[in-house]
Amino acid sequence: MTQRVVITGMGAITPIGANAATFWENIKAGVCGIAPLTSYDTSAQSAKLAAEVDFDPAEVLSAGDMRKMDRFTQLAVIAAREAVSDSGITSENTDLSRADVLVSSGIGGMATTVREYNRGLDRGFDKVSPFYIPMTIANIAAGRIAIEHGLKGDCSCIVTACASSAHAIGEALRHIRHGYADVVVCGGSEATVIPLAVGGFTSMQALHLGENPNRASIPFDKERSGFVLGEGAGMLVLESFEHAQARGAAIYAEVAGFGATCDAYHITAPEPEGTGAIESMRRALADASLSAGDICYINAHGTSTPLNDKSEARAIGAVFGLNTTVPVSSTKSMTGHLLGAAGAVEALVCARALKEGFIPPTINYCVPDPECNLDVVPNEGRIAKLNAVLSNSLGFGGHNATLAFARI
C-alpha cells in the first residue's frame, strides 16, 4: 500500500527573507530581491547585479562551525533547523532511523575551492585547510543536517544543476510513498555569488548585464536577456499523511506527484520545442492522478533567458493548450535564480499558495512576448481557490523535474 505524502515543515533563507514566513509575505507583496552586488568589487566584471541574502549566518552559528562550513552549507543548516522546528519532529514522536535527508546543491562549495586554491598558491598546497574537502563536497550539507538532528535513515545528495532540489523533493516523495521512510528532510542550498561563478555564467552569455534591478530578472518579458544569480536555501519536511496525523502535525499541502526526464539534446540549451519538459509535466500529472484541467497554477522555471522561457512556454502550451488560461508565474522575478536551491524555494511557494489561496505575481513584467503566450500574472498576485499546482525545474545537462502539489 502506497502512502500519501504531506509537507509539515518549511525553512528558507532567500534574497527576500531570511525565514519562511518573511519570504512568503514578500512573495505576496511582489518584493524585488535584486540589487547591486555587494559581496565583492564588480568593477572588473560585466555583471553588476545579484540577488544576495541579507543575513549573516554568524548570528546563529558558532565561530567553529563558520570556519568548517562553506556558505552553502551554513545556509542549508540554518534553513533545515527552521523546517525541523516548524514540523515538530522529535525523537519522541518519530523513529529517527526512518528519517531520511535528501538535500542537494547544484555546485557545492565553489567559494571554498577558490579561497583554498589561492592559499595553496601562496603557502603551498600541503598547507590548505584540513576541512577543505568536507567543506566543498556537495553532499556535506545533507550530512551536516543529519548529524545535527540525529536523522539515521538514508542521507544523500542529488545533483542535477538547477533541477537539483526539485529532484530531491521528488525522490523524498518516493521514499515515503513506498515505505522506505516515514519522514524526509529535503531541499537545496546554493551560495556562488563569487567572481568565478559570475564570470563563468557571463562568458556563456547566460547573465543579464544591465544595471537596473527592475528590468533585470524579467521572465517571459520580450526584453529579457539573461538571469540574475541568486543565493539561498529552501528546506521542507515531508512525511506520510498517516505519520503526520498520528502526531497531530499541522499540514501545509500534499506532494501529489513527480515527473522527471532528460532532453538528451545539449549540455546547456533546452530542447527548443520543450519535449523533455512536456513529458516531465505529463509524468507528474499521471503520478498525481491529475489531469491538465485540474491544475490551477504553474510556478514556472522561468529564468529570464531568451531560450529557456520560450521553450518552457511552448511546453506548457503543448500540455495545457496553446491558448491556455492557467496562470503561470515565475518567482525568479523576485528572487533571481538560486540554481540548485531554486526548486525547493519554489516548492515552498507552491505549498503556501495552496494553503492560502494566493497566486504569486511575475513582477517587473512590461513587454509581452508573442512567443510566450501565457497568463504570467503580471506585477500583482491574485486571490484564488487553488486545488492543485505544478512547479517546473530545468537544469543544465537537459534535466527536467516537475512536482505536483495538492491542497489538503
Side-chain angles (χ1 to χ4, degrees):
M1 179 178 177
T2 59
Q3 300 278 347
R4 292 175 68 190
V5 179
V6 295
I7 301 168
T8 58
M10 294 183 177
I13 299 182
T14 78
I16 58 170
N19 57 68
T22 302
F23 167 65
W24 174 242
E25 290 304 313
N26 285 334
I27 284 286
K28 290 195 293 183
V31 172
C32 182
I34 295 160
L37 199 157
T38 62
S39 57
Y40 67 87
D41 180 3
T42 63
S43 59
Q45 292 192 271
S46 301
K48 307 298 184 183
L49 302 175
E52 297 173 287
V53 167
D54 184 19
F55 174 76
D56 183 359
E59 293 179 17
V60 294
L61 296 177
S62 70
D65 282 342
M66 290 288 292
R67 286 195 301 271
K68 298 172 187 176
M69 294 185 197
D70 184 89
R71 183 171 171 83
F72 93 96
T73 304
Q74 296 168 9
L75 299 181
V77 165
I78 296 167
R81 283 181 186 174
E82 182 187 9
V84 172
S85 175
D86 185 40
S87 74
I89 289 290
T90 68
S91 58
E92 283 72 40
N93 60 33
T94 299
D95 178 356
L96 298 186
S97 71
R98 290 183 52 79
D100 295 356
V101 181
L102 299 177
V103 171
S104 294
S105 180
I107 295 177
M110 181 184 282
T112 297
T113 290
V114 171
R115 186 186 68 239
E116 292 303 317
Y117 181 73
N118 288 331
R119 177 180 291 180
L121 289 176
D122 291 340
R123 299 170 51 187
F125 284 95
D126 288 350
K127 301 292 186 179
V128 301
S129 169
F131 298 104
Y132 163 58
I133 298 299
M135 287 174 70
T136 305
I137 51 180
N139 64 295
I140 200 63
R144 282 275 189 175
I145 291 164
I147 291 166
E148 179 167 312
H149 299 282
L151 309 177
K152 297 184 178 181
D154 189 356
C155 179
S156 63
C157 170
I158 298 166
V159 179
T160 51
C162 301
S164 294
S165 56
H167 272 97
I169 295 167
E171 290 303 320
L173 164 68
R174 292 171 173 172
H175 280 216
I176 297 169
R177 176 187 280 170
H178 299 299
Y180 301 119
D182 299 322
V183 173
V184 184
V185 178
C186 56
S189 184
E190 208 78 85
T192 56
V193 182
I194 60 171
L196 179 61
V198 171
F201 283 123
T202 298
S203 67
M204 66 186 297
Q205 301 180 352
L207 291 186
H208 172 77
L209 301 181
E211 297 189 37
N212 179 358
N214 294 321
R215 294 299 290 162
S217 183
I218 49 172
F220 304 113
D221 190 296
K222 191 173 183 179
E223 295 181 354
R224 67 192 184 276
S225 62
F227 71 82
V228 175
L229 186 61
E231 62 177 353
M235 298 291 160
L236 303 177
V237 174
L238 271 53
E239 59 185 297
S240 71
F241 182 58
E242 182 180 68
H243 190 274
Q245 276 195 317
R247 66 183 191 86
I251 294 172
Y252 289 101
E254 179 175 0
V255 186
F258 174 54
T261 63
C262 184
D263 288 347
Y265 171 74
H266 189 272
I267 57 171
T268 56
E271 198 282 324
E273 299 303 317
T275 54
I278 291 168
E279 182 61 18
S280 180
M281 285 186 276
R282 286 176 173 164
R283 289 184 183 185
L285 289 170
D287 192 46
S289 298
L290 295 169
S291 69
D294 295 320
I295 299 302
C296 305
Y297 164 62
I298 300 169
N299 186 289
H301 187 58
T303 58
S304 187
T305 59
L307 292 180
N308 175 89
D309 292 4
K310 180 169 67 172
S311 174
E312 187 177 10
R314 287 179 177 174
I316 290 169
V319 175
F320 293 89
L322 290 177
N323 297 307
T324 181
T325 58
V326 64
V328 180
S329 70
S330 173
T331 46
K332 289 183 180 71
S333 59
M334 293 175 259
T335 67
H337 193 353
L338 275 58
L339 306 181
V345 168
E346 290 156 14
L348 187 156
V349 168
C350 288
R352 292 300 297 259
L354 280 163
K355 190 168 182 64
E356 296 191 21
F358 183 84
I359 300 173
T362 303
I363 69 167
N364 294 322
Y365 182 83
C366 295
V367 186
D369 183 350
E371 294 193 284
C372 300
N373 184 27
L374 301 168
D375 173 5
V376 301
V377 197
N379 303 313
E380 188 172 335
R382 302 172 191 161
I383 296 171
K385 184 177 179 180
L386 304 177
N387 294 316
V389 306
L390 290 187
S391 181
N392 286 331
S393 295
L394 317 175
F396 285 172
H399 304 292
N400 306 294
T402 302
L403 292 162
F405 301 91
R407 185 165 64 93
I408 290 290

